[in-house]
Amino acid sequence: MKAALLLLLLSVITTFANSAPSLEPEPVLDINGKILRTHTTYFVVPVKHGKYEGISLESTGNEKCQLGVVQQLYGGHGSPVALFPVNPKKGVIRVSTDLNIAMFSTHECDQSTVWQLENYDSKTGKYFIKDGGVEGNPGPQTIRNWFKIEKHGRSYKFVYCPSVCSYCKVICKDVGVYMVNGQRRLALSDVPLVFNFRKEVTP
């Protein structure tokens, strides 16, 4: 009798554990339905193609190494990105999770390619995204370096709404594009750049 009750109790516990909701956000999937992981590079593939496609680091000022994140003109995959979650031990990239975004650059510049939010640009009323950020070290000193990936229908969008500092006042907005000086620069926006991820295939 006791053995039967014990088996019944174990069955109930197992059923509850299997039906309990996961405490972790859902993983981000690439265009083939595979889970995104750290130590892997991916292309950002905008849902709306046309003459603008992938994203890359491009010179946005008078100086060669004044680089910003730009949506490329007239096709091209753009440059691949690598994603680093706030907990470096986590190998899976998940939605709604703080992470750093680093991008491969063809420019020979002695600076980090981790994304960071620029200071407010009074001429355009925008916060643009550039390189030069710091990987890791979450806190108020690196608050401009943390982004998130969120679902947008069946695709994704980047969001700036860092939660690595509980007492910091931050702006929470989607990352979209803004045309300035002939470039479609990534910036905080009410209209997000919607995209999917495609894994970079290396030879």
Side-chain angles (χ1 to χ4, degrees):
M1 184 66 176
K2 289 183 179 180
L5 287 173
L6 180 60
L7 288 173
L8 178 60
L9 180 61
L10 288 173
S11 176
V12 170
I13 292 173
T14 302
T15 301
F16 176 78
N18 291 336
S19 61
S22 173
L23 297 178
E24 290 189 302
E26 64 178 275
V28 179
L29 305 179
D30 69 12
I31 207 164
N32 295 312
K34 303 294 184 181
I35 293 175
L36 266 64
R37 299 186 180 276
T38 57
H39 307 294
T40 306
T41 51
Y42 300 89
F43 289 106
V44 172
V45 184
V47 171
K48 293 183 179 180
H49 290 287
K51 63 180 182 179
Y52 295 99
E53 295 198 23
I55 60 175
S56 62
L57 282 173
E58 302 293 344
S59 177
T60 57
N62 297 325
E63 299 179 11
K64 176 185 175 183
C65 290
Q66 186 179 341
L67 306 178
V69 185
V70 175
Q71 189 177 12
Q72 284 192 332
L73 177 64
Y74 298 120
H77 298 304
S79 300
V81 299
L83 307 166
F84 304 97
V86 64
N87 184 347
K89 295 182 180 179
K90 298 290 185 180
V92 173
I93 306 301
R94 299 182 182 276
V95 299
S96 307
T97 302
D98 288 292
L99 49 80
N100 296 132
I101 305 169
M103 175 171 278
F104 175 79
S105 174
T106 58
H107 297 270
E108 296 181 356
C109 299
D110 187 22
Q111 59 203 42
S112 163
T113 61
V114 173
W115 289 13
Q116 68 169 317
L117 197 68
E118 285 188 5
N119 292 325
Y120 178 75
D121 183 83
S122 59
K123 292 181 180 179
T124 60
K126 295 291 183 182
Y127 290 91
F128 292 105
I129 296 170
K130 65 174 185 176
D131 68 346
V134 176
E135 181 186 337
N137 192 29
Q141 295 83 5
T142 63
I143 197 72
R144 291 178 177 269
N145 305 333
W146 298 96
F147 296 83
K148 295 178 181 179
I149 299 168
E150 300 288 0
K151 288 283 291 181
H152 188 91
R154 296 183 178 180
S155 302
Y156 297 96
K157 63 182 180 178
F158 289 123
V159 172
Y160 179 78
C161 191
S163 50
V164 295
C165 176
S166 59
Y167 59 86
C168 297
K169 292 183 179 181
V170 299
I171 300 169
C172 287
K173 270 200 169 185
D174 294 336
V175 174
V177 292
Y178 182 81
M179 180 69 80
V180 57
N181 298 327
Q183 293 177 311
R184 282 174 64 86
R185 294 194 60 186
L186 266 64
L188 300 193
S189 173
D190 294 327
V191 181
L193 175 67
V194 182
F195 59 86
N196 291 299
F197 289 100
R198 184 174 69 242
K199 184 179 178 180
E200 181 184 22
V201 179
T202 54

